[in-house]
Amino acid sequence: LNAVITRHLHLLLTYSHQRRRYRIPSPKRVSLQALAVYLYCAFLGTWGLIGTENFPYHALQIGGLACLPVEVDTRSSLFFWLVAVPLFFGIP
């Protein structure tokens, strides 16, 4: 959600620098963008709930604060670095 807000602030500043009028997004567009961000986070969050051995994503409670992904074997390590990390950090 911070990335969406930052994008709009950057667009606002760019338009201001170019002396162009910035039109604020409609409440419907803002709601749809927020919904998309929350659905994306929910999708990634449900990976920790899948408890089968065949799924290479494993989440454990670390420090009693949060469930974080851990690397258990080679498959989970490859899945973590090739799929999970780009989805967590690359796309948003």
Side-chain angles (χ1 to χ4, degrees):
L1 196 54
N2 286 339
V4 173
I5 294 169
T6 302
R7 181 178 157 269
H8 282 285
L9 284 174
H10 182 267
L11 190 61
L12 171 72
L13 292 173
T14 302
Y15 277 23
S16 176
H17 180 71
Q18 296 171 353
R19 307 275 195 261
R20 293 172 52 191
R21 182 175 297 273
Y22 175 76
R23 297 177 63 178
I24 62 171
S26 68
K28 180 180 178 181
R29 182 162 176 84
V30 171
S31 298
L32 288 175
Q33 287 177 339
L35 178 66
V37 169
Y38 287 131
L39 287 175
Y40 181 73
C41 291
F43 168 71
L44 293 179
T46 57
W47 285 4
L49 300 176
I50 300 172
T52 63
E53 291 297 321
N54 295 332
F55 192 66
Y57 184 87
H58 302 283
L60 298 175
Q61 188 176 14
I62 298 177
L65 299 174
C67 290
L68 299 173
V70 293
E71 300 175 29
V72 178
D73 54 5
T74 306
R75 261 185 46 204
S76 67
S77 181
L78 285 173
F79 183 81
F80 177 74
W81 289 107
L82 297 176
V83 176
V85 168
L87 286 177
F88 285 145
F89 300 115
I91 292 177

Coordinates of all heavy atoms in Angstrom, one line a residue:
L1 N 0.8 -1.2 0.0 CA 0.0 0.0 0.0 C 0.9 1.3 0.0 O 0.5 2.2 -0.6 CB -0.9 0.0 1.2 CG -2.1 0.9 1.2 CD1 -3.0 0.8 0.0 CD2 -2.9 0.7 2.4
N2 N 2.0 1.2 0.7 CA 2.9 2.3 0.7 C 3.5 2.6 -0.7 O 3.7 3.7 -1.1 CB 4.1 2.1 1.7 CG 3.6 2.2 3.1 OD1 2.6 2.8 3.4 ND2 4.4 1.6 4.0
A3 N 3.7 1.5 -1.5 CA 4.2 1.7 -2.8 C 3.2 2.4 -3.7 O 3.5 3.2 -4.6 CB 4.6 0.3 -3.4
V4 N 1.9 2.1 -3.5 CA 0.8 2.7 -4.3 C 0.8 4.2 -4.0 O 0.7 5.1 -4.8 CB -0.5 2.1 -4.1 CG1 -1.6 2.8 -4.8 CG2 -0.5 0.6 -4.6
I5 N 0.8 4.5 -2.7 CA 0.8 5.9 -2.2 C 2.0 6.7 -2.7 O 1.9 7.8 -3.2 CB 0.7 6.0 -0.7 CG1 -0.6 5.4 -0.2 CG2 0.9 7.4 -0.2 CD1 -0.8 5.2 1.2
T6 N 3.2 6.0 -2.6 CA 4.4 6.7 -3.1 C 4.4 6.9 -4.6 O 4.8 8.0 -5.1 CB 5.6 5.8 -2.8 OG1 5.7 5.5 -1.4 CG2 6.9 6.4 -3.2
R7 N 3.8 6.0 -5.3 CA 3.7 6.2 -6.8 C 2.8 7.4 -7.1 O 3.2 8.2 -8.0 CB 3.0 5.0 -7.4 CG 2.9 5.1 -8.9 CD 2.3 3.8 -9.5 NE 1.7 4.1 -10.7 CZ 0.4 4.4 -10.9 NH1 -0.4 4.5 -9.9 NH2 -0.1 4.6 -12.1
H8 N 1.7 7.6 -6.4 CA 0.8 8.8 -6.6 C 1.5 10.1 -6.2 O 1.3 11.1 -6.8 CB -0.5 8.6 -5.9 CG -1.4 7.7 -6.7 ND1 -2.1 8.1 -7.8 CD2 -1.8 6.4 -6.5 CE1 -2.8 7.1 -8.3 NE2 -2.6 6.0 -7.5
L9 N 2.3 10.0 -5.1 CA 3.0 11.2 -4.7 C 4.1 11.6 -5.7 O 4.3 12.8 -6.0 CB 3.6 11.0 -3.3 CG 2.7 11.1 -2.1 CD1 3.4 10.7 -0.8 CD2 2.1 12.5 -2.0
H10 N 4.7 10.6 -6.2 CA 5.8 10.9 -7.3 C 5.1 11.5 -8.5 O 5.6 12.4 -9.1 CB 6.5 9.6 -7.6 CG 7.6 9.8 -8.6 ND1 7.4 9.6 -10.0 CD2 8.9 10.2 -8.5 CE1 8.5 9.9 -10.6 NE2 9.4 10.2 -9.7
L11 N 4.0 10.9 -8.9 CA 3.2 11.4 -10.0 C 2.8 12.9 -9.8 O 2.9 13.7 -10.7 CB 2.0 10.5 -10.3 CG 1.3 10.8 -11.6 CD1 2.2 10.6 -12.8 CD2 0.1 9.9 -11.7
L12 N 2.3 13.1 -8.6 CA 1.9 14.5 -8.2 C 3.1 15.5 -8.3 O 3.0 16.6 -8.9 CB 1.3 14.5 -6.8 CG 1.1 15.9 -6.2 CD1 -0.2 16.5 -6.8 CD2 0.8 15.7 -4.7
L13 N 4.2 15.1 -7.8 CA 5.4 15.9 -7.8 C 5.9 16.1 -9.2 O 6.4 17.2 -9.6 CB 6.5 15.4 -6.9 CG 6.2 15.4 -5.4 CD1 7.3 14.7 -4.7 CD2 6.0 16.9 -5.0
T14 N 5.9 15.1 -10.0 CA 6.3 15.2 -11.4 C 5.4 16.1 -12.2 O 5.9 17.0 -12.9 CB 6.3 13.8 -12.1 OG1 7.1 12.9 -11.4 CG2 6.7 13.9 -13.6
Y15 N 4.1 16.0 -12.0 CA 3.1 16.9 -12.7 C 3.3 18.3 -12.2 O 3.3 19.3 -13.0 CB 1.7 16.5 -12.4 CG 1.2 15.4 -13.3 CD1 2.1 14.5 -14.0 CD2 -0.2 15.3 -13.6 CE1 1.6 13.5 -14.8 CE2 -0.6 14.3 -14.4 CZ 0.2 13.4 -15.0 OH -0.2 12.4 -15.9
S16 N 3.6 18.5 -10.9 CA 3.8 19.9 -10.4 C 5.1 20.5 -11.0 O 5.1 21.7 -11.3 CB 4.0 19.8 -8.9 OG 4.3 21.1 -8.3
H17 N 6.1 19.7 -11.1 CA 7.4 20.2 -11.7 C 7.1 20.6 -13.2 O 7.8 21.5 -13.7 CB 8.5 19.1 -11.6 CG 9.8 19.6 -12.2 ND1 10.6 20.5 -11.6 CD2 10.4 19.2 -13.3 CE1 11.6 20.7 -12.3 NE2 11.6 19.9 -13.4
Q18 N 6.3 19.8 -13.9 CA 6.0 20.1 -15.3 C 4.9 21.1 -15.5 O 4.5 21.4 -16.6 CB 5.6 18.8 -16.0 CG 6.7 17.8 -16.0 CD 6.2 16.4 -16.6 OE1 5.1 16.2 -16.8 NE2 7.2 15.5 -16.7
R19 N 4.4 21.7 -14.4 CA 3.3 22.7 -14.5 C 2.1 22.1 -15.1 O 1.4 22.8 -15.9 CB 3.7 23.9 -15.2 CG 5.0 24.6 -14.7 CD 4.7 25.5 -13.6 NE 5.8 26.4 -13.3 CZ 6.8 26.2 -12.4 NH1 6.7 25.1 -11.7 NH2 7.7 27.1 -12.2
R20 N 1.8 20.8 -14.8 CA 0.6 20.2 -15.3 C -0.4 20.0 -14.2 O 0.0 19.9 -13.0 CB 0.9 18.8 -16.0 CG 1.8 18.9 -17.2 CD 2.3 17.6 -17.7 NE 1.2 16.6 -17.9 CZ 1.4 15.3 -18.1 NH1 2.7 14.9 -18.2 NH2 0.4 14.5 -18.3
R21 N -1.6 19.9 -14.5 CA -2.7 19.7 -13.5 C -2.8 18.2 -13.2 O -2.8 17.3 -14.0 CB -4.0 20.1 -14.0 CG -5.1 20.0 -13.0 CD -6.4 20.5 -13.4 NE -6.4 22.0 -13.7 CZ -6.6 22.9 -12.7 NH1 -6.9 22.5 -11.5 NH2 -6.5 24.1 -13.0
Y22 N -2.7 17.9 -11.9 CA -2.8 16.5 -11.4 C -4.3 16.3 -11.0 O -4.8 17.0 -10.2 CB -1.9 16.3 -10.2 CG -2.0 14.9 -9.6 CD1 -1.5 13.8 -10.2 CD2 -2.7 14.7 -8.4 CE1 -1.7 12.5 -9.7 CE2 -2.8 13.5 -7.8 CZ -2.3 12.4 -8.4 OH -2.5 11.2 -7.9
R23 N -4.9 15.2 -11.5 CA -6.2 14.9 -11.1 C -6.2 13.8 -10.1 O -5.6 12.7 -10.4 CB -7.1 14.5 -12.4 CG -7.2 15.6 -13.4 CD -7.9 15.3 -14.6 NE -9.3 14.9 -14.2 CZ -10.2 14.5 -15.1 NH1 -9.9 14.5 -16.4 NH2 -11.4 14.2 -14.7
I24 N -6.8 14.0 -9.0 CA -6.7 13.0 -7.9 C -7.5 11.8 -8.4 O -8.5 11.9 -9.1 CB -7.2 13.5 -6.6 CG1 -8.7 14.0 -6.7 CG2 -6.4 14.7 -6.1 CD1 -9.3 14.3 -5.4
P25 N -7.1 10.6 -7.9 CA -7.9 9.4 -8.3 C -9.2 9.4 -7.6 O -9.4 9.9 -6.5 CB -7.0 8.2 -7.8 CG -6.1 8.8 -6.8 CD -5.9 10.3 -7.2
S26 N -10.2 8.8 -8.3 CA -11.5 8.7 -7.7 C -11.6 7.8 -6.5 O -10.7 6.9 -6.4 CB -12.5 8.2 -8.8 OG -12.2 6.9 -9.1
P27 N -12.5 7.9 -5.6 CA -12.6 7.0 -4.5 C -12.8 5.6 -4.9 O -12.2 4.7 -4.2 CB -13.9 7.5 -3.7 CG -14.0 8.9 -4.1 CD -13.5 9.0 -5.5
K28 N -13.4 5.3 -6.0 CA -13.6 4.0 -6.5 C -12.2 3.4 -6.9 O -11.9 2.2 -6.5 CB -14.5 3.9 -7.7 CG -14.7 2.6 -8.3 CD -15.6 2.6 -9.5 CE -15.8 1.2 -10.1 NZ -16.7 1.2 -11.2
R29 N -11.4 4.2 -7.6 CA -10.0 3.7 -8.0 C -9.2 3.5 -6.8 O -8.4 2.5 -6.7 CB -9.4 4.7 -8.9 CG -8.0 4.3 -9.4 CD -7.6 5.1 -10.6 NE -6.3 4.8 -11.1 CZ -6.0 3.7 -11.8 NH1 -6.9 2.9 -12.3 NH2 -4.7 3.5 -12.2
V30 N -9.2 4.3 -5.8 CA -8.4 4.2 -4.6 C -8.9 2.9 -3.8 O -8.0 2.1 -3.4 CB -8.6 5.4 -3.6 CG1 -8.0 5.1 -2.3 CG2 -8.0 6.6 -4.3
S31 N -10.2 2.7 -3.8 CA -10.7 1.5 -3.1 C -10.2 0.2 -3.8 O -9.9 -0.8 -3.2 CB -12.2 1.5 -3.0 OG -12.6 2.6 -2.2
L32 N -10.3 0.2 -5.2 CA -9.9 -0.9 -5.9 C -8.4 -1.2 -5.8 O -7.9 -2.4 -5.7 CB -10.2 -0.8 -7.4 CG -11.7 -0.9 -7.7 CD1 -12.0 -0.6 -9.2 CD2 -12.2 -2.3 -7.4
Q33 N -7.6 -0.2 -5.8 CA -6.1 -0.4 -5.6 C -5.8 -0.9 -4.2 O -5.0 -1.8 -4.0 CB -5.4 0.9 -5.8 CG -5.3 1.4 -7.2 CD -4.6 2.7 -7.4 OE1 -4.5 3.5 -6.5 NE2 -4.1 3.0 -8.6
A34 N -6.5 -0.4 -3.2 CA -6.3 -0.9 -1.8 C -6.8 -2.4 -1.7 O -6.1 -3.2 -1.1 CB -7.1 -0.1 -0.8
L35 N -7.9 -2.7 -2.4 CA -8.4 -4.1 -2.4 C -7.4 -5.0 -3.1 O -7.1 -6.1 -2.6 CB -9.8 -4.1 -3.1 CG -10.4 -5.5 -3.2 CD1 -10.7 -6.1 -1.8 CD2 -11.6 -5.5 -4.1
A36 N -6.8 -4.6 -4.2 CA -5.8 -5.4 -4.9 C -4.6 -5.6 -4.0 O -4.1 -6.8 -3.9 CB -5.4 -4.7 -6.2
V37 N -4.2 -4.6 -3.3 CA -3.0 -4.8 -2.4 C -3.3 -5.8 -1.2 O -2.6 -6.7 -0.9 CB -2.6 -3.4 -1.8 CG1 -1.6 -3.6 -0.7 CG2 -2.0 -2.6 -2.9
Y38 N -4.5 -5.6 -0.7 CA -4.9 -6.5 0.5 C -5.1 -8.0 0.0 O -4.8 -8.9 0.7 CB -6.1 -6.0 1.2 CG -5.9 -4.8 2.0 CD1 -6.6 -3.7 1.9 CD2 -4.8 -4.8 2.9 CE1 -6.4 -2.6 2.7 CE2 -4.5 -3.7 3.7 CZ -5.3 -2.6 3.6 OH -5.1 -1.5 4.4
L39 N -5.7 -8.2 -1.2 CA -5.8 -9.5 -1.8 C -4.5 -10.1 -2.1 O -4.3 -11.3 -1.8 CB -6.7 -9.5 -3.0 CG -8.2 -9.2 -2.8 CD1 -8.9 -9.1 -4.2 CD2 -8.8 -10.3 -2.0
Y40 N -3.5 -9.3 -2.6 CA -2.2 -9.8 -2.8 C -1.5 -10.3 -1.5 O -0.9 -11.3 -1.5 CB -1.4 -8.8 -3.6 CG 0.0 -9.1 -3.9 CD1 0.3 -10.0 -4.9 CD2 1.1 -8.6 -3.2 CE1 1.6 -10.4 -5.2 CE2 2.4 -9.0 -3.5 CZ 2.6 -9.9 -4.5 OH 3.9 -10.2 -4.8
C41 N -1.7 -9.5 -0.5 CA -1.1 -9.8 0.8 C -1.7 -11.1 1.4 O -1.1 -11.9 2.0 CB -1.2 -8.6 1.8 SG -0.1 -7.3 1.3
A42 N -3.0 -11.2 1.2 CA -3.7 -12.3 1.7 C -3.3 -13.6 1.0 O -3.1 -14.7 1.6 CB -5.3 -12.2 1.6
F43 N -3.1 -13.5 -0.3 CA -2.6 -14.6 -1.1 C -1.2 -15.1 -0.6 O -1.0 -16.3 -0.4 CB -2.5 -14.2 -2.6 CG -1.8 -15.2 -3.5 CD1 -2.3 -16.4 -3.7 CD2 -0.5 -14.8 -4.0 CE1 -1.6 -17.3 -4.6 CE2 0.2 -15.7 -4.8 CZ -0.4 -17.0 -5.1
L44 N -0.3 -14.1 -0.4 CA 1.0 -14.5 0.1 C 0.9 -15.0 1.5 O 1.7 -15.9 1.9 CB 2.0 -13.3 0.0 CG 2.3 -12.8 -1.4 CD1 3.3 -11.6 -1.3 CD2 3.0 -13.9 -2.2
G45 N 0.0 -14.5 2.3 CA -0.1 -14.9 3.7 C -0.6 -16.3 3.9 O -0.3 -17.0 4.9
T46 N -1.4 -16.7 2.9 CA -2.0 -18.1 3.1 C -1.0 -19.2 2.8 O -1.2 -20.3 3.1 CB -3.2 -18.3 2.1 OG1 -2.8 -18.0 0.8 CG2 -4.4 -17.4 2.5
W47 N 0.1 -18.8 2.2 CA 1.2 -19.8 1.9 C 1.6 -20.5 3.2 O 1.9 -21.7 3.3 CB 2.4 -19.2 1.2 CG 2.1 -19.0 -0.2 CD1 1.0 -19.1 -0.9 CD2 3.1 -18.5 -1.1 NE1 1.2 -18.7 -2.2 CE2 2.5 -18.3 -2.4 CE3 4.4 -18.1 -1.0 CZ2 3.1 -17.9 -3.5 CZ3 5.1 -17.6 -2.1 CH2 4.4 -17.5 -3.3
G48 N 1.7 -19.7 4.3 CA 2.1 -20.3 5.6 C 1.1 -21.3 6.2 O 1.4 -22.0 7.1
L49 N -0.1 -21.2 5.7 CA -1.2 -22.1 6.3 C -1.2 -23.5 5.6 O -1.8 -24.4 6.1 CB -2.6 -21.4 6.1 CG -2.7 -20.1 6.8 CD1 -4.1 -19.5 6.5 CD2 -2.6 -20.3 8.3
I50 N -0.5 -23.6 4.5 CA -0.5 -24.9 3.7 C 0.5 -25.8 4.5 O 1.7 -25.5 4.5 CB -0.1 -24.7 2.3 CG1 -1.1 -23.8 1.6 CG2 0.0 -26.0 1.6 CD1 -0.8 -23.3 0.2
G51 N 0.0 -26.8 5.0 CA 0.8 -27.7 5.9 C 1.3 -29.0 5.3 O 1.7 -29.9 6.0
T52 N 1.2 -29.1 3.9 CA 1.6 -30.4 3.3 C 3.1 -30.4 3.1 O 3.7 -29.4 3.0 CB 0.9 -30.6 2.0 OG1 1.3 -29.5 1.1 CG2 -0.6 -30.5 2.1
E53 N 3.6 -31.6 3.1 CA 5.1 -31.8 2.9 C 5.5 -31.5 1.5 O 6.6 -31.2 1.2 CB 5.5 -33.2 3.3 CG 5.4 -33.4 4.8 CD 6.3 -32.6 5.6 OE1 7.5 -32.3 5.1 OE2 5.9 -32.1 6.7
N54 N 4.6 -31.7 0.5 CA 4.9 -31.5 -0.9 C 5.1 -30.0 -1.3 O 5.7 -29.7 -2.3 CB 3.8 -32.1 -1.8 CG 3.8 -33.6 -1.6 OD1 4.8 -34.2 -1.3 ND2 2.7 -34.2 -1.9
F55 N 4.4 -29.1 -0.5 CA 4.6 -27.7 -0.8 C 5.9 -27.2 -0.2 O 6.1 -27.3 1.0 CB 3.4 -26.9 -0.2 CG 3.2 -25.5 -0.7 CD1 2.9 -25.2 -2.0 CD2 3.4 -24.5 0.2 CE1 2.8 -23.9 -2.4 CE2 3.3 -23.2 -0.2 CZ 3.0 -22.9 -1.5
P56 N 6.8 -26.6 -1.0 CA 8.1 -26.2 -0.5 C 8.2 -25.0 0.3 O 9.3 -24.5 0.7 CB 8.9 -26.0 -1.8 CG 7.9 -25.6 -2.8 CD 6.6 -26.3 -2.4
Y57 N 7.1 -24.4 0.7 CA 7.1 -23.2 1.6 C 6.8 -23.6 3.0 O 5.7 -24.1 3.3 CB 6.1 -22.2 1.0 CG 6.1 -20.9 1.7 CD1 7.0 -19.9 1.3 CD2 5.3 -20.6 2.8 CE1 7.0 -18.6 2.0 CE2 5.3 -19.4 3.4 CZ 6.2 -18.4 3.0 OH 6.2 -17.2 3.6
H58 N 7.7 -23.3 3.9 CA 7.4 -23.6 5.3 C 7.6 -22.3 6.1 O 8.6 -21.6 6.0 CB 8.4 -24.6 5.8 CG 8.4 -25.9 5.0 ND1 7.4 -26.8 5.2 CD2 9.2 -26.4 4.0 CE1 7.6 -27.8 4.4 NE2 8.7 -27.6 3.6
A59 N 6.7 -22.1 7.1 CA 6.8 -20.9 7.9 C 6.8 -21.3 9.4 O 6.0 -22.2 9.8 CB 5.6 -20.0 7.7
L60 N 7.6 -20.8 10.1 CA 7.8 -21.1 11.6 C 7.7 -19.8 12.4 O 8.1 -18.7 11.9 CB 9.1 -21.8 11.8 CG 9.3 -23.2 11.2 CD1 10.7 -23.7 11.5 CD2 8.2 -24.2 11.6
Q61 N 7.2 -20.0 13.6 CA 7.2 -18.8 14.5 C 8.6 -18.6 15.0 O 9.2 -19.4 15.6 CB 6.2 -19.0 15.6 CG 6.0 -17.8 16.5 CD 5.0 -18.1 17.6 OE1 4.6 -19.2 17.8 NE2 4.5 -17.0 18.2
I62 N 9.1 -17.4 14.8 CA 10.5 -17.0 15.1 C 10.5 -15.9 16.2 O 9.9 -14.9 15.9 CB 11.3 -16.6 13.9 CG1 11.4 -17.8 12.9 CG2 12.7 -16.1 14.3 CD1 12.1 -17.5 11.7
G63 N 11.0 -16.2 17.3 CA 11.1 -15.2 18.4 C 9.8 -14.9 19.0 O 9.6 -13.9 19.7
G64 N 8.8 -15.7 18.7 CA 7.4 -15.5 19.3 C 6.7 -14.3 18.8 O 5.6 -13.9 19.3
L65 N 7.2 -13.7 17.7 CA 6.6 -12.5 17.2 C 5.8 -12.7 15.9 O 4.8 -12.2 15.7 CB 7.6 -11.4 17.0 CG 8.3 -10.9 18.3 CD1 9.4 -10.0 18.0 CD2 7.3 -10.4 19.3
A66 N 6.5 -13.4 15.0 CA 5.9 -13.5 13.6 C 6.2 -14.8 13.0 O 7.3 -15.4 13.3 CB 6.4 -12.4 12.7
C67 N 5.4 -15.3 12.1 CA 5.7 -16.5 11.3 C 6.4 -16.0 10.1 O 5.9 -15.3 9.2 CB 4.4 -17.2 10.9 SG 3.6 -17.9 12.3
L68 N 7.6 -16.5 10.0 CA 8.5 -16.1 8.9 C 8.9 -17.3 8.1 O 9.0 -18.4 8.6 CB 9.8 -15.4 9.4 CG 9.5 -14.1 10.2 CD1 10.8 -13.6 10.8 CD2 8.9 -13.1 9.3
P69 N 9.1 -17.2 6.8 CA 9.5 -18.3 5.9 C 10.9 -18.8 6.3 O 11.8 -18.0 6.7 CB 9.5 -17.8 4.5 CG 9.6 -16.3 4.7 CD 9.0 -16.0 6.0
V70 N 11.1 -20.1 6.4 CA 12.4 -20.7 6.7 C 12.7 -21.7 5.6 O 11.9 -22.2 4.9 CB 12.3 -21.5 8.0 CG1 12.1 -20.5 9.2 CG2 11.3 -22.5 8.1
E71 N 14.0 -21.9 5.5 CA 14.6 -22.9 4.5 C 14.8 -24.2 5.2 O 15.7 -24.3 6.1 CB 15.8 -22.3 3.8 CG 15.6 -21.0 3.1 CD 16.9 -20.4 2.6 OE1 17.9 -21.2 2.3 OE2 17.0 -19.2 2.5
V72 N 14.1 -25.2 4.8 CA 14.2 -26.5 5.5 C 15.1 -27.4 4.7 O 16.0 -28.1 5.3 CB 12.8 -27.1 5.7 CG1 12.9 -28.5 6.3 CG2 11.9 -26.2 6.5
D73 N 15.0 -27.5 3.4 CA 15.8 -28.3 2.5 C 16.1 -27.6 1.2 O 15.8 -26.4 1.1 CB 15.1 -29.6 2.3 CG 13.7 -29.4 1.7 OD1 13.3 -28.3 1.4 OD2 13.0 -30.4 1.5
T74 N 16.7 -28.3 0.3 CA 17.1 -27.6 -1.0 C 15.9 -27.1 -1.8 O 15.9 -26.0 -2.3 CB 17.9 -28.6 -1.8 OG1 19.0 -29.1 -1.1 CG2 18.4 -27.9 -3.1
R75 N 14.8 -27.9 -1.8 CA 13.6 -27.5 -2.5 C 13.0 -26.2 -1.9 O 12.7 -25.3 -2.6 CB 12.5 -28.6 -2.5 CG 12.5 -29.5 -3.7 CD 11.4 -30.5 -3.6 NE 10.1 -29.9 -3.2 CZ 9.1 -30.5 -2.6 NH1 9.2 -31.8 -2.4 NH2 8.0 -29.9 -2.3
S76 N 12.9 -26.2 -0.6 CA 12.3 -25.0 0.0 C 13.3 -23.8 -0.1 O 12.8 -22.7 -0.3 CB 12.0 -25.2 1.5 OG 13.2 -25.4 2.2
S77 N 14.6 -24.0 -0.2 CA 15.5 -23.0 -0.4 C 15.4 -22.4 -1.8 O 15.4 -21.2 -2.0 CB 16.9 -23.5 -0.1 OG 17.9 -22.4 -0.3
L78 N 15.3 -23.2 -2.8 CA 15.1 -22.8 -4.2 C 13.8 -22.1 -4.3 O 13.7 -21.0 -5.0 CB 15.2 -24.0 -5.1 CG 16.6 -24.5 -5.4 CD1 16.5 -25.8 -6.2 CD2 17.4 -23.5 -6.1
F79 N 12.7 -22.6 -3.8 CA 11.4 -21.9 -3.8 C 11.5 -20.6 -3.2 O 10.9 -19.6 -3.7 CB 10.4 -22.8 -3.2 CG 9.0 -22.3 -3.3 CD1 8.2 -22.4 -4.5 CD2 8.4 -21.6 -2.3 CE1 7.0 -21.9 -4.6 CE2 7.1 -21.0 -2.4 CZ 6.4 -21.2 -3.5
F80 N 12.1 -20.5 -2.0 CA 12.2 -19.2 -1.3 C 12.9 -18.2 -2.1 O 12.4 -17.1 -2.3 CB 12.9 -19.4 0.0 CG 13.1 -18.2 0.8 CD1 12.0 -17.6 1.5 CD2 14.3 -17.6 0.9 CE1 12.1 -16.4 2.2 CE2 14.5 -16.4 1.6 CZ 13.4 -15.8 2.3
W81 N 14.1 -18.5 -2.7 CA 14.8 -17.5 -3.4 C 14.4 -17.2 -4.8 O 14.5 -16.1 -5.3 CB 16.3 -17.9 -3.4 CG 16.9 -17.7 -2.1 CD1 17.3 -18.7 -1.2 CD2 17.2 -16.5 -1.3 NE1 17.8 -18.2 0.0 CE2 17.7 -16.9 -0.1 CE3 17.0 -15.2 -1.6 CZ2 18.1 -15.9 0.8 CZ3 17.4 -14.2 -0.7 CH2 17.9 -14.6 0.5
L82 N 13.7 -18.2 -5.5 CA 13.3 -18.0 -6.8 C 11.8 -17.5 -7.0 O 11.5 -17.0 -8.0 CB 13.5 -19.3 -7.7 CG 15.0 -19.7 -7.8 CD1 15.1 -21.0 -8.5 CD2 15.8 -18.6 -8.5
V83 N 11.0 -17.8 -6.0 CA 9.6 -17.5 -6.1 C 9.2 -16.5 -5.0 O 8.6 -15.5 -5.2 CB 8.7 -18.8 -6.0 CG1 7.2 -18.4 -6.0 CG2 9.1 -19.7 -7.2
A84 N 9.4 -16.9 -3.7 CA 8.9 -16.1 -2.6 C 9.6 -14.7 -2.5 O 8.9 -13.7 -2.4 CB 9.1 -16.8 -1.3
V85 N 10.9 -14.6 -2.6 CA 11.5 -13.3 -2.5 C 11.1 -12.4 -3.6 O 10.8 -11.2 -3.4 CB 13.1 -13.5 -2.4 CG1 13.8 -12.2 -2.6 CG2 13.5 -14.1 -1.1
P86 N 11.1 -12.8 -4.9 CA 10.6 -11.9 -5.9 C 9.2 -11.4 -5.7 O 8.8 -10.3 -6.0 CB 10.8 -12.7 -7.2 CG 11.8 -13.6 -7.0 CD 11.7 -14.0 -5.5
L87 N 8.3 -12.3 -5.2 CA 6.9 -12.0 -5.0 C 6.8 -11.0 -3.8 O 6.0 -10.1 -3.8 CB 6.1 -13.2 -4.8 CG 5.8 -14.0 -6.0 CD1 4.9 -15.2 -5.7 CD2 5.0 -13.1 -7.0
F88 N 7.6 -11.2 -2.7 CA 7.6 -10.4 -1.6 C 8.1 -9.0 -1.8 O 7.6 -8.0 -1.4 CB 8.3 -11.0 -0.4 CG 7.6 -12.1 0.3 CD1 8.3 -13.2 0.8 CD2 6.2 -12.1 0.4 CE1 7.6 -14.2 1.4 CE2 5.5 -13.2 1.0 CZ 6.2 -14.2 1.5
F89 N 9.3 -8.9 -2.5 CA 10.0 -7.7 -2.7 C 10.0 -7.1 -4.1 O 10.1 -5.9 -4.3 CB 11.4 -7.9 -2.2 CG 11.6 -8.3 -0.8 CD1 12.1 -9.5 -0.5 CD2 11.2 -7.5 0.2 CE1 12.2 -9.9 0.8 CE2 11.3 -7.9 1.5 CZ 11.8 -9.1 1.8
G90 N 9.9 -8.0 -5.1 CA 10.1 -7.5 -6.4 C 8.8 -6.9 -7.0 O 8.9 -5.9 -7.7
I91 N 7.7 -7.5 -6.9 CA 6.5 -7.0 -7.5 C 5.9 -5.8 -6.9 O 5.6 -4.8 -7.6 CB 5.4 -8.2 -7.6 CG1 5.9 -9.3 -8.5 CG2 4.1 -7.6 -8.0 CD1 5.0 -10.4 -8.6
P92 N 5.7 -5.7 -5.6 CA 5.1 -4.5 -5.1 C 6.1 -3.3 -5.2 O 5.8 -2.3 -5.6 CB 4.9 -4.7 -3.6 CG 5.1 -6.2 -3.4 CD 5.9 -6.7 -4.5

